[in-house]
Amino acid sequence: MVTGLLDGARELSIYTAYNTNVDAIVYLTGETVQRLIDEFGAEAVKRRMEEYPRQIEEPIDFVARLVHALKTGKPMAVPLVNEELHAWFDSHFRYDVERMGGQAGIIANLLANLDFRRVLVYTPHLARKQATMFVDRPNLFYPVVGDGKLVFRHPREAYREGDPIKVNRIFEFRAGTTFKLGDETITVPFSGRFIVSARFESIRVYTEPELKPFLPEIGEMVDGAILSGYQGIKLRYSDGKDANHYLREAKRDILLLKREKDVKVHLEFASIQNRELRKKVIYNLFPLVDSVGMDESEIAYVLNALGYPKLSDRIFTYNRIEDTVLGGKILIDEMNLEVLQIHTIYYIMYITHADNPLSEDELRSSLELATTLAAARASLGEIISPEDFRVGLSVPYNERGEYVKLRFEEAKRKLRTREYRVVIIPTRLVKNPVSTVGLGDTISAGAFTSYLALLRKKGAL
């Protein structure tokens, strides 16, 4: 069933934008972490951990947030705002891998390697090094305007000299890694990653003015669009532009994509530390899209911005399924979403309204494809052909799978869900993943495209 569903999804054409970057990956060891703590002193690190810096302005901010992530075993992303720290990072770490990063870039390569009919990828910044990180596949295209016409080239043939490039540094950590913070011995409880995400003025989220008039034409060519990268917008820029300007343009982009055909649009949400900016992104963009994907910490952030601080705190503190379901119901109602997809380490969930064209079994099969695809990526590090998907089928569901199902049934009994379709499945969890980078993007891309394939099969797309 799931393999057949992937075959159906591969018949689709998908547009994805905006964020691409270079991921510089470091596989952390206990010795590396210990060296960083010793450089600044355990007491100084503890003090900065208590202050919990929201962005990285100096090296100790990085060390404090890294140690906090390792202690909790939770994946985290913190923005780097001081461009001068590039040299400090480069002098302190040897990068084990440099590869495609950014949700749009990761999803474009994934879908191209899965042999989707056509994958159109757009990023406003395409430096030569960035372009070489796109896979060399004949179904992958970048839109270019030439002589007043829309043409498509492979990204490797469309780069522009002098375009800025964004480097995100990703620190992969493994469960069981140990180090000392003063008198305390810390053992990392779960595998994950800590992302230092570059947030500089030179990197912006927009569609170039000459391409914008052709967005309706692109919308007609595709079955769905996956948009991401809004977490890179800044509140204010030195040239006088601000978040409102870029969000107005983002809204126009979505409306233009949908102008000639009501193409389904999925927004992949990522953590936005600034509450004001988070609120702007939610209220401006969520009502215009059909589908949103996020993890459990991101739904807590969203609920906080929407005015539900107590529920948000409960999700952060207790991580109970019933609170996540309640939060999801609020979100699809207030933002009028067709479908909300929430992915966590132990389960993936869909929440839709009861009039959704897909049955619970069909929604469940979509999630099954998503977790199987992510398990294949975690096992192999990268998916390079449709056959790689089968690797995920042999990965077992996580050890909390039965507990997840039990708690979900309890949640449904406690909450009124008759007006909704709420579906949950345990994740297939790789014990020692080759990499965890891009797993959330893989889940969301797999879920959204299989959702579209099922709608098309029913004549609802």
Side-chain angles (χ1 to χ4, degrees):
M1 170 66 181
V2 180
T3 306
L5 181 51
L6 177 61
D7 291 339
R10 287 169 54 211
E11 292 296 313
L12 301 172
S13 294
I14 301 292
Y15 175 69
T16 182
Y18 296 88
N19 58 330
T20 58
N21 56 263
V22 174
D23 277 347
I25 301 168
V26 176
Y27 298 120
L28 278 176
T29 63
E31 292 78 19
T32 303
V33 180
Q34 195 65 62
R35 176 169 52 79
L36 290 168
I37 292 169
D38 293 345
E39 179 176 337
F40 293 95
E43 291 308 312
V45 173
K46 283 182 190 175
R47 282 195 300 274
R48 193 57 62 92
M49 283 172 72
E50 287 172 8
E51 293 168 12
Y52 199 73
R54 297 284 179 177
Q55 56 189 29
I56 297 169
E57 298 183 37
E58 53 181 332
I60 195 168
D61 295 335
F62 159 72
V63 178
R65 287 299 305 269
L66 174 67
V67 173
H68 181 269
L70 295 172
K71 195 171 180 179
T72 59
K74 287 194 172 183
M76 292 184 186
V78 183
L80 170 66
V81 296
N82 183 352
E83 205 157 351
E84 293 177 6
L85 288 191
H86 276 314
W88 183 87
F89 279 103
D90 291 345
S91 68
H92 279 67
F93 299 100
R94 183 183 65 80
Y95 305 116
D96 295 292
V97 180
E98 285 187 303
R99 68 183 186 193
M100 172 65 78
Q103 293 147 309
I106 288 170
I107 289 168
N109 278 354
L110 170 72
L111 299 184
N113 278 337
L114 284 171
D115 207 19
F116 271 57
R117 183 184 296 277
R118 177 184 273 197
V119 182
L120 308 182
V121 61
Y122 175 73
T123 177
H125 310 292
L126 190 61
R128 184 197 292 257
K129 183 172 183 177
Q130 188 71 71
T132 62
M133 294 192 168
F134 283 99
V135 295
D136 189 11
R137 299 280 299 183
N139 57 341
L140 181 60
F141 300 95
Y142 184 92
V144 177
V145 178
D147 296 325
K149 293 181 182 177
L150 180 64
V151 293
F152 293 96
R153 297 183 188 143
H154 190 279
R156 294 185 182 190
E157 298 167 1
Y159 70 85
R160 294 175 292 268
E161 296 289 358
D163 264 19
I165 190 164
K166 178 181 177 183
V167 179
N168 282 351
R169 294 168 177 87
I170 297 171
F171 298 86
E172 295 266 0
F173 52 83
R174 291 284 177 91
T177 302
T178 61
F179 56 91
K180 290 181 80 72
L181 182 62
D183 297 332
E184 181 185 6
T185 298
I186 294 173
T187 301
V188 178
F190 305 109
S191 296
R193 74 267 185 272
F194 180 79
I195 302 176
V196 176
S197 180
R199 293 277 195 274
F200 306 133
E201 280 225 339
S202 56
I203 305 293
R204 304 201 184 186
V205 178
Y206 67 100
T207 299
E208 292 161 294
E210 60 267 30
L211 179 63
K212 219 172 184 75
F214 293 96
L215 287 176
E217 191 176 328
I218 290 172
E220 283 189 285
M221 292 177 178
V222 297
D223 301 290
I226 302 175
L227 307 180
S228 57
Y230 303 110
Q231 69 274 15
I233 295 174
K234 296 169 75 73
L235 278 174
R236 288 164 201 87
Y237 295 86
S238 58
D239 61 3
K241 290 183 174 139
D242 61 8
N244 295 324
H245 167 82
Y246 286 101
L247 287 169
R248 277 195 301 272
E249 292 302 309
K251 287 164 75 172
R252 281 187 63 211
D253 286 359
I254 295 168
L255 293 170
L256 286 168
L257 281 169
K258 286 176 166 281
R259 193 177 77 187
E260 300 303 321
K261 181 176 87 174
D262 189 18
V263 63
K264 298 287 186 191
V265 175
H266 172 87
L267 189 156
E268 187 62 13
F269 189 76
S271 178
I272 299 173
Q273 298 285 329
N274 183 285
R275 190 174 185 273
E276 184 185 348
L277 179 60
R278 192 188 318 145
K279 202 169 178 178
K280 285 178 185 291
V281 170
I282 294 162
Y283 278 106
N284 278 282
L285 303 184
F286 280 27
L288 298 182
V289 303
D290 306 279
S291 168
V292 172
M294 62 183 68
D295 66 25
E296 76 273 35
S297 64
E298 286 153 4
I299 193 171
Y301 278 128
V302 168
L303 290 165
N304 184 278
L306 291 177
Y308 297 91
K310 288 182 181 176
L311 180 56
S312 172
D313 288 345
R314 288 209 306 271
I315 292 173
F316 271 126
T317 307
Y318 304 112
N319 207 8
R320 289 188 301 236
I321 289 173
E322 64 196 71
D323 291 330
T324 305
V325 172
L326 178 58
K329 285 169 53 181
I330 290 168
L331 193 50
I332 68 164
D333 283 342
E334 293 206 4
M335 296 293 119
N336 196 30
L337 296 173
E338 181 176 322
V339 59
L340 174 66
Q341 177 258 113
I342 301 164
H343 47 266
T344 78
I345 189 170
Y346 293 116
Y347 66 83
I348 318 174
M349 179 189 296
Y350 266 147
I351 302 177
T352 76
H353 289 109
D355 62 355
N356 190 282
L358 301 188
S359 68
E360 287 193 3
D361 282 346
E362 287 169 322
L363 290 168
R364 203 171 285 112
S365 67
S366 173
L367 294 180
E368 287 285 359
L369 183 144
T371 192
T372 304
L373 205 55
R377 185 184 178 103
S379 300
L380 301 169
E382 202 74 63
I383 289 174
I384 59 171
S385 76
E387 289 69 38
D388 287 346
F389 174 78
R390 297 183 181 277
V391 173
L393 292 169
S394 62
V395 175
Y397 296 102
N398 70 78
E399 69 277 7
R400 297 193 190 179
E402 290 306 314
Y403 175 75
V404 163
K405 291 176 187 174
L406 184 67
R407 293 309 302 264
F408 178 58
E409 290 306 319
E410 285 178 7
K412 283 211 294 187
R413 282 195 295 271
K414 284 182 184 178
L415 299 169
R416 182 178 171 182
T417 58
R418 195 165 29 176
E419 297 164 26
Y420 307 87
R421 288 213 175 110
V422 188
V423 173
I424 194 169
I425 66 157
T427 53
R428 295 180 184 269
L429 201 56
V430 177
K431 281 277 191 286
N432 293 301
V434 173
S435 172
T436 61
V437 174
L439 293 187
D441 304 327
T442 302
I443 286 170
S444 289
F448 179 62
T449 56
S450 58
Y451 177 79
L452 294 184
L454 287 162
L455 287 179
R456 177 190 254 191
K457 191 176 177 183
K458 284 202 152 183
L461 184 64

